Amino acid sequence: MTEDLTGRLVVALDLDGVTDKAGLMDRTARALALPGWFGRNWDALAESLSDLSVWPEGAGGRGLLLVVRDWQAYAKARPEEWETAQEVFSHAMRVTPALTVALALGGSSQTPSDGPGGSVGA
């Protein structure tokens, strides 16, 4: 069985440079435009991901596809925190069918300045 994700609001959560839970929470709050009262802890994250009323405008009626990019360095640096984050994402998707969290595979979202395929001496 496959789920049709077309029509959902797509939000990128870029974790490039994130080294700790505080950074993850800040990036998530910014990406999803969460209210100032967002608690920046695991429970608050789970509640916010499951609460359509705090989702970005337009997502409530369409659904939300949260694409997590550049997560690998954070996962390697803080494996226990990353495991908890994945559990929070999974729980939120189970209780909120309109939410999908996808982990993007691949390299950094930044264009390399040198090396194979990079631009050198622009």
Side-chain angles (χ1 to χ4, degrees):
M1 180 166 87
T2 60
E3 183 176 353
D4 183 6
L5 299 177
T6 58
R8 290 186 184 217
L9 177 69
V10 178
V11 174
L13 172 56
D14 192 344
L15 299 184
D16 185 40
V18 169
T19 59
D20 59 15
K21 177 182 165 187
L24 170 71
M25 295 297 168
D26 288 344
R27 292 278 178 93
T28 305
R30 216 175 344 192
L32 293 173
L34 295 176
W37 47 260
F38 170 62
R40 287 178 166 68
N41 60 60
W42 298 121
D43 288 337
L45 178 59
E47 290 172 10
S48 294
L49 289 171
S50 303
D51 183 354
L52 280 61
S53 72
V54 299
W55 282 8
E57 187 175 331
R62 297 169 48 192
L64 177 64
L65 172 57
L66 182 63
V67 180
V68 185
R69 301 184 335 190
D70 299 319
W71 53 271
Q72 294 91 336
Y74 174 63
K76 184 176 180 180
R78 303 284 184 137
E80 291 178 9
E81 286 180 13
W82 180 243
E83 184 175 331
T84 301
Q86 289 181 90
E87 290 170 4
V88 169
F89 294 149
S90 294
H91 171 77
M93 288 190 311
R94 278 193 305 275
V95 300
T96 312
L99 172 69
T100 298
V101 178
L103 302 181
L105 301 177
S108 170
S109 62
Q110 302 297 317
T111 303
S113 59
D114 57 11
S119 58
V120 178

